[in-house]
Amino acid sequence: MTSDPLLALRPWESPEVTSWGRLPMNAVDRRAQALSLDGDWRFQLLPTPTAPVGEDWSSARVPGAWTLQDTTDLPWYTNVQMPWPDFPPASPAANPTGVYEREFDIPAEWAGRRIVLQIGAAESVLLVHVDGRPVGISKDSHLAAEFDLSDVVWPGASATVRLTVVKWSDATHIEDQDQWWHGGITRSVLLYATDPLYLADVTVRAPASGELRVDCRVRDAGGALPEGWYVTGEIDGQLLLQDAEFDRANAEDDRVSDFLGEPRLGAHVSDVRTWTAETPELYDLTVRLHRTDGTVADTAQHRVGFRDVEIVGRDLLVNGERIYVRGVNRHDFHPLTGRTVSQDDMRADLVLLKRFGFNAIRTAHYPNDPTLYDLADELGLYVVDEADIESHDHAHEIADDPRYLNAFVDRVSRMVLRDKNHPSIIIWSLGNESDYGANHDAAAGWLRRHDPTRPLQYEGAAKLGWADPAVASDIACPMYAPLEDCVAHALSGEQTKPLIQCEYSHAMGNSNGTLADHWAAIESTPGLQGGFIWEFWDHGILQCVNSGRPVGRVGAGLYDNGVAAPGMRWAYGGDFGETPHDGAFIADGIVFPDRTPKPVMYEHREIAAPVRLEAFRHEGLVVANHQCFRGLDWLAGTWELTLSDGRTLTAPAELPDLRPGETAAVPLPIELPADGGEAWLTLRVTTAGDEPWAPRGTEICTPQLLLRAAPDVSEAAVTGPRVKVDADGLLVHPLLTSAPVLSLWRAPTDNDELGGMAARWQDWGLDTLVRKAADVRRDGERSEMGVPPAGGWGRVTVLAEYAGNAGVIRHEQVFTPVQGGIRVEESVELPDAYADVARVGSVFETVSGLDLLEWYGQGPWESYPDRAAGAPVGHHSAPVDSLFTPYLRPQESGGRHGVRRFRLSAPDATGLSVVLDRPRQVSVTRFRAEDLAAATHHDQLTPRPGCVVHIDAAHRGLGTASCGPDTFPSYLLQPGTHHWAWTLRTL
């Protein structure tokens, strides 16, 4: 038996032990007055918790995961499955254990004070010793643990603290979130002191009425509270008053002579400025605890937001208004430091979300770093605060397991006790993907009693019945529910709760198709209020290709614009040699690991636009304010009239004075020219002044309306031998290195792979279509041996067959000489067996040197048929090398939807142009589809010197089938005959 009582408890295998010696959680923030113990600590990594500590120490950075520092224990990724096969509460015998040690000095002026050590987060079990004496134990990898050191340290002297962190434990079974497994101390370690008489907790109630209530909990380290102490407070200079009614009620109770140390303060704040995500108004609250002589013993500072949250019928209301929840799930993550994130990192996260129209965060799936909530209060984001409970692999067993009862209640209650005063938090969550059982009901019961001012949600309960009043979820919060089911529920007459999906669109790779369709339904269907995209981050860890190790903190600057530097790559599951693992499923965010926005961000920005153009009538335009609480005075605008002939006309925009939800008709700002063809009017909306999250001039949205459709234009054939084809019927052109041929396949996206489409396309042989000998005809007559005369032909028809595994596919190309070029008319007959192919179109390759793409169509961002709302029609240009989107696992990317024409040119302006018969899907990159499909990481790709050009008659939607519904039937490609045409010219 060990003589160490902490080791004797063996907390890594005892679910009944959630803590020992740990102080209660509270909402009094001590960070500003604390001494930091962050920095380099002595460190040893042991193979098991009971292995002896040796004499050889290395160094480890605190805060930081040891898995991203120079150790033998590397990051490990699983999603649902646990890294070991044993059932809960078992943990593996091979259990990496980090021992951190350092000295610290206790300030002499802390004599007579209460001294507290705070460890911000450690995963998964923390054991604390000071000068060899056991101090305490804590579990819960995402909340701080505090320990009173007053009896084990001496002011003016030094002490040695040892923090032992055990990686795997019984608690790991309820921390089975979809993220990397790490080990270490991942948030700051602090030391602070208080007077023996101290504020143990402060609870703020600040409704939109302005009737402020502040409940304080006062304690004394000596036990009984001294006579004559009192509390005072002020909010933005206004004094708070003691709640006399509360005092009398307690004074009449014989059991409490000093109100149990729970005084209450109150005030009425007149003309209150209410808090919302659009208008994050905050007040400064100061609470002071006084000794008998009036001196201040303790002080607590809070930023208060006055707001109400309630559910009325099936609507979630903030300050009495029905809101839309435009949310995203967010982990604490950084590609170099894992779960250790700085205040600057978190601010950058939230600023980016605000700029792209998001107004809500779900802290998936644990309480985030406390700084995040401060920033959400300040910048204006609604928060669903989620407890650190996920038992995905063993959900059914654990939900009703009494051994885990205390852990469930402990984790939920500690989250609420820490975060309750943040106005940004509008909903509590009991956790994620942990089935539903008595343990959840117990935690919900505590939560409802402690904080009746907010609703709670839990998807595991809600899925048992979206309208069931008996389950522990005030909100119907399904996960990836089909849109048609959501609409049907809202129209059924049976809906009793707001329907806000906790996850509804999965951002793995090239994804988030049908996002605009979802929001069109949400905004037009009472009872639907939005949801949260999964998720914010691609969790790629920067890895050195040669060593296979994470780069860690030294990797700053080794990535840019989503791309890792040469010799580096973004690692995902399996890249550190771990098994089992879940591959690239960790790369499912709307931003790359370096926070570079993916194209879907622009889609969301437009869907969430605060200003909309709703109609074009003869008398003018209809402009709408789609905000819930704010006018348009914080915005500025510029009108752009885009004509298909290449002109773009501009005019300043004076936005109408509209209250939330109002519309107004405004005159057409620019006279529509009689010529110019197709015409689009765009309102470029920017910030009129500096916002806390966006400097003046930041683009907010670009709503657009079609004013005039394109006329039908036909091109006449010209005489002269202008078309050259070879003996196989392939077009010969000086700027093409590969002739246009049929393309029915794309490098599978993650949705294609996990949704089963990629396997089906491979079974059909679409990735290896064999083109058979073609029938070549000139002006309708077969040519001899298919060999053209030296000068070429006039009109040429090529009939080719492609051998697929599900039947022969017939493809016709008609080449016609036109003024300055060649018109290509194509058709393909897809047999019924080929239902739902990836694309139908042509692919060809160009000579090198054509490095600039200019196009008229949707852009400038990547867009696809079911993800095109964020790409306005206009005249765009970009280097070819920038068109490809570097999703972590190489796949189909770089497409542009609705392209009418494009040109590829060299620096000397030579090149080629293509005019399309109608808006089509086009992609121009340096990679063939087979190049992308063969690579697992971008360091395996070699760009081709020329351009690979796809012109698609039709392209399959993206959907979100990697985890969630596939694209809608309207975005699927059907068998039958497909036609498309384009004209190729030399510049």
Side-chain angles (χ1 to χ4, degrees):
M1 285 286 293
T2 176
S3 60
D4 187 331
L6 301 188
L7 291 177
L9 286 171
R10 302 182 70 85
W12 52 90
E13 56 188 28
S14 304
E16 293 83 358
V17 179
T18 59
S19 68
W20 181 86
R22 188 179 69 194
L23 295 173
M25 183 61 79
N26 63 82
V28 180
D29 187 356
R30 305 289 183 178
R31 287 172 291 171
Q33 65 196 61
L35 298 179
S36 173
L37 297 185
D38 291 351
D40 292 329
W41 289 49
R42 294 190 296 276
F43 179 76
Q44 291 188 33
L45 185 62
L46 308 179
T48 69
T50 55
V53 178
E55 298 296 327
D56 295 329
W57 294 88
S58 60
S59 176
R61 183 79 175 174
V62 172
W66 71 59
T67 42
L68 294 173
Q69 302 186 51
D70 192 19
T71 72
T72 56
D73 186 34
L74 298 177
W76 192 334
Y77 170 59
T78 61
N79 173 25
V80 177
Q81 61 185 331
M82 291 289 290
W84 69 87
D86 306 89
F87 272 59
S91 54
N95 193 350
T97 301
V99 180
Y100 297 81
E101 193 173 277
R102 65 161 288 173
E103 285 76 39
F104 60 93
D105 296 327
I106 311 299
E109 60 268 26
W110 285 6
R113 294 174 67 78
R114 171 175 166 268
I115 300 171
V116 178
L117 175 69
Q118 181 188 96
I119 297 93
E123 51 188 280
S124 77
V125 175
L126 171 70
L127 296 82
V128 181
H129 296 77
V130 175
D131 289 336
R133 297 174 61 180
V135 171
I137 293 170
S138 178
K139 296 180 184 177
D140 189 343
S141 295
H142 302 285
L143 282 174
E146 293 190 340
F147 302 91
D148 191 335
L149 305 187
S150 304
D151 294 336
V152 295
V153 297
W154 291 266
S158 294
T160 300
V161 61
R162 174 177 290 183
L163 305 179
T164 303
V165 181
V166 184
K167 183 175 183 180
W168 307 121
S169 72
D170 64 275
T172 309
H173 289 283
I174 56 172
E175 294 181 354
D176 184 19
Q177 292 104 352
D178 180 11
Q179 60 178 340
W180 292 99
W181 295 104
H182 287 295
I185 300 169
T186 54
R187 295 181 191 155
S188 290
V189 179
L190 306 174
L191 191 70
Y192 69 86
T194 72
D195 192 271
L197 181 68
Y198 63 97
L199 289 164
D201 200 6
V202 173
T203 301
V204 179
R205 298 282 190 258
S209 65
E211 298 295 332
L212 178 69
R213 170 180 143 186
V214 181
D215 292 301
C216 304
R217 185 183 295 269
V218 178
R219 294 291 179 264
D220 187 83
L225 289 166
E227 294 289 337
W229 60 268
Y230 61 98
V231 294
T232 63
E234 61 183 52
I235 185 163
D236 273 14
Q238 177 181 344
L239 294 178
L240 276 61
L241 301 177
Q242 191 82 27
D243 190 321
E245 183 178 347
F246 176 80
D247 291 352
R248 283 196 304 273
N250 283 276
E252 292 168 1
D253 190 332
D254 294 336
R255 294 172 298 172
V256 284
S257 60
D258 59 1
F259 317 139
L260 289 175
E262 298 179 0
R264 176 179 294 170
L265 301 174
H268 173 72
V269 178
S270 59
D271 299 321
V272 65
R273 307 182 311 274
T274 54
W275 187 98
T276 72
E278 294 174 19
T279 59
E281 298 283 356
L282 294 174
Y283 290 73
D284 291 321
L285 170 68
T286 301
V287 177
R288 297 183 182 90
L289 172 62
H290 299 265
R291 305 180 188 91
T292 304
D293 61 4
T295 57
V296 176
D298 201 2
T299 302
Q301 305 279 352
H302 298 270
R303 303 200 76 191
V304 175
F306 288 86
R307 59 105 186 93
D308 296 327
V309 181
E310 58 183 332
I311 293 175
V312 177
R314 57 180 184 174
D315 293 328
L316 174 70
L317 307 181
V318 173
N319 298 341
E321 296 290 333
R322 185 177 187 271
I323 64 168
Y324 286 115
V325 176
R326 304 180 187 277
V328 69
N329 292 273
R330 179 194 171 277
H331 281 282
D332 281 340
F333 172 77
H334 191 280
L336 304 181
T337 57
R339 275 188 272 289
T340 299
V341 287
S342 69
Q343 179 174 341
D344 288 345
D345 290 332
M346 287 180 274
R347 179 178 288 275
D349 293 351
L350 301 196
V351 162
L352 189 69
L353 286 172
K354 289 283 288 187
R355 290 183 184 179
F356 282 90
F358 291 92
N359 70 356
I361 292 171
R362 176 176 172 232
T363 66
H365 300 291
Y366 46 80
N368 283 186
D369 187 289
T371 299
L372 179 111
Y373 305 87
D374 299 334
L375 293 169
D377 294 342
E378 173 194 336
L379 297 173
L381 283 143
Y382 301 121
V383 175
V384 174
D385 202 9
E386 191 151 270
D388 187 14
I389 300 172
E390 180 169 341
S391 55
H392 209 156
D393 199 15
H394 298 288
H396 182 69
E397 300 96 315
I398 289 177
D400 285 306
D401 189 335
R403 294 174 298 178
Y404 281 92
L405 172 62
N406 288 343
F408 275 57
V409 176
D410 185 62
R411 287 165 183 248
V412 170
S413 64
R414 294 182 76 235
M415 171 187 71
V416 173
L417 289 168
R418 186 194 74 167
D419 296 338
K420 59 191 173 186
N421 294 336
H422 290 282
S424 56
I425 298 171
I426 62 170
I427 300 169
W428 301 113
S429 169
L430 300 180
N432 184 66
E433 293 177 320
S434 300
D435 207 333
Y436 179 47
N439 294 340
H440 295 97
D441 284 336
W446 183 95
L447 196 161
R448 293 189 192 282
R449 172 76 177 184
H450 186 81
D451 181 18
T453 70
R454 296 175 175 95
L456 67 84
Q457 72 174 47
Y458 177 56
E459 181 268 340
K463 71 182 179 183
L464 298 181
W466 292 354
D468 189 344
V471 299
S473 187
D474 301 319
I475 293 170
C477 50
M479 193 176 284
Y480 306 110
L483 181 60
E484 59 269 24
D485 291 357
C486 297
V487 172
H489 178 66
L491 299 178
S492 68
E494 299 176 356
Q495 184 181 3
T496 61
K497 304 176 182 181
L499 200 160
I500 304 170
Q501 293 209 57
C502 66
E503 297 175 23
Y504 74 101
S505 181
H506 193 252
M508 185 178 181
N510 192 357
S511 187
N512 301 108
T514 73
L515 202 59
D517 304 81
H518 271 76
W519 274 97
I522 290 167
E523 292 185 354
S524 62
T525 309
L528 305 185
Q529 280 191 259
F532 296 82
I533 294 173
W534 183 265
E535 63 165 309
F536 182 57
W537 288 106
D538 269 358
H539 292 224
I541 293 176
L542 192 65
Q543 179 188 44
C544 176
V545 175
N546 289 336
S547 70
R549 297 187 59 81
V551 175
R553 292 177 183 269
V554 298
L558 294 179
Y559 47 82
D560 180 57
N561 202 29
V563 179
M568 305 292 163
R569 69 179 182 184
W570 297 122
Y572 51 74
D575 286 340
F576 295 107
E578 75 269 31
T579 184
H581 66 81
D582 286 301
F585 207 71
I586 194 71
D588 48 12
I590 55 176
V591 300
F592 290 105
D594 65 351
R595 207 183 292 106
T596 296
K598 290 184 180 178
V600 66
M601 292 284 273
Y602 297 93
E603 181 86 348
H604 187 274
R605 187 181 74 174
E606 218 54 48
I607 292 168
V611 184
R612 315 279 178 91
L613 301 180
E614 294 192 341
F616 171 53
R617 306 190 184 110
H618 292 297
E619 64 271 22
L621 308 166
V622 176
V623 178
N625 179 357
H626 274 248
Q627 300 171 104
C628 295
F629 300 99
R630 204 173 186 187
L632 301 184
D633 54 320
W634 66 285
L635 298 169
T638 301
W639 295 106
E640 288 185 0
L641 181 62
T642 301
L643 303 172
S644 61
D645 65 3
R647 288 179 290 168
T648 300
L649 310 178
T650 63
E654 184 175 340
L655 298 178
D657 182 13
L658 296 177
R659 290 179 296 179
E662 288 187 337
T663 62
V666 300
L668 189 66
I670 303 173
E671 184 177 354
L672 187 61
D675 60 348
E678 184 180 53
W680 291 84
L681 184 68
T682 305
L683 177 61
R684 293 201 173 272
V685 180
T686 62
T687 50
D690 291 338
E691 295 287 320
W693 47 272
R696 178 183 179 184
T698 299
E699 192 164 270
I700 300 299
C701 58
T702 55
Q704 187 176 68
L705 279 176
L706 177 64
L707 300 188
R708 185 170 61 206
D712 291 331
V713 177
S714 59
E715 297 190 73
V718 297
T719 59
R722 296 178 179 271
V723 178
K724 294 184 179 181
V725 296
D726 65 15
D728 294 320
L730 297 172
L731 179 67
V732 177
H733 191 281
L735 294 181
L736 303 188
T737 59
S738 177
V741 294
L742 179 66
S743 176
L744 302 177
W745 183 69
R746 68 188 182 197
T749 66
D750 292 313
N751 291 331
D752 297 338
E753 290 281 4
L754 297 177
M757 291 76 78
R760 184 168 69 245
W761 298 335
Q762 189 174 32
D763 289 343
W764 291 344
L766 300 186
D767 55 333
T768 55
L769 277 180
V770 177
R771 185 177 187 272
K772 296 182 177 180
D775 181 11
V776 182
R777 303 184 182 189
R778 176 188 178 190
D779 294 332
E781 295 184 5
R782 188 185 304 274
S783 64
E784 274 188 37
M785 304 298 293
V787 179
W793 285 331
R795 181 176 178 181
V796 177
T797 300
V798 178
L799 300 172
E801 291 186 345
Y802 289 78
N805 296 336
V808 173
I809 301 165
R810 292 175 176 82
H811 176 220
E812 179 181 271
Q813 292 176 308
V814 179
F815 302 104
T816 304
V818 296
Q819 186 65 45
I822 301 168
R823 180 170 175 81
V824 185
E825 297 171 278
E826 306 193 59
S827 64
V828 65
E829 295 178 20
L830 281 182
D832 291 344
Y834 294 100
D836 189 17
V837 299
R839 65 182 355 139
V840 175
S842 321
V843 60
F844 60 85
E845 296 179 26
T846 74
V847 297
S848 62
L850 306 183
D851 299 332
L852 177 67
L853 178 71
E854 300 167 272
W855 74 99
Y856 172 56
Q858 292 189 251
W861 333 111
E862 172 194 272
S863 55
Y864 284 82
D866 62 349
R867 202 192 68 214
V873 174
H875 303 287
H876 308 288
S877 67
V880 170
D881 290 338
S882 71
L883 298 171
F884 178 69
T885 306
Y887 297 108
L888 262 65
R889 188 188 66 80
Q891 56 195 274
E892 162 67 32
S893 80
R896 264 65 181 174
H897 188 58
V899 176
R900 280 81 165 156
R901 65 172 181 263
F902 65 90
R903 56 190 287 166
L904 278 164
S905 60
D908 62 1
T910 61
L912 59 84
S913 71
V914 171
V915 177
L916 303 164
D917 61 333
R918 51 174 290 190
R920 300 288 188 182
Q921 183 80 17
V922 170
S923 74
V924 181
T925 71
R926 302 292 190 193
F927 306 104
R928 294 175 180 168
E930 55 263 36
D931 298 338
L932 300 174
T936 59
H937 295 79
H938 286 270
D939 60 287
Q940 299 168 346
L941 288 172
T942 301
R944 294 182 180 273
C947 301
V948 179
V949 181
H950 280 273
I951 298 172
D952 292 331
H955 195 104
R956 188 190 196 277
L958 300 169
T960 63
S962 56
C963 186
D966 194 4
T967 193
F968 295 163
S970 58
Y971 298 112
L972 300 178
L973 274 60
Q974 302 301 327
T977 303
H978 295 260
H979 301 275
W980 66 107
W982 47 286
T983 301
L984 174 67
R985 289 185 172 90
T986 302
L987 298 180

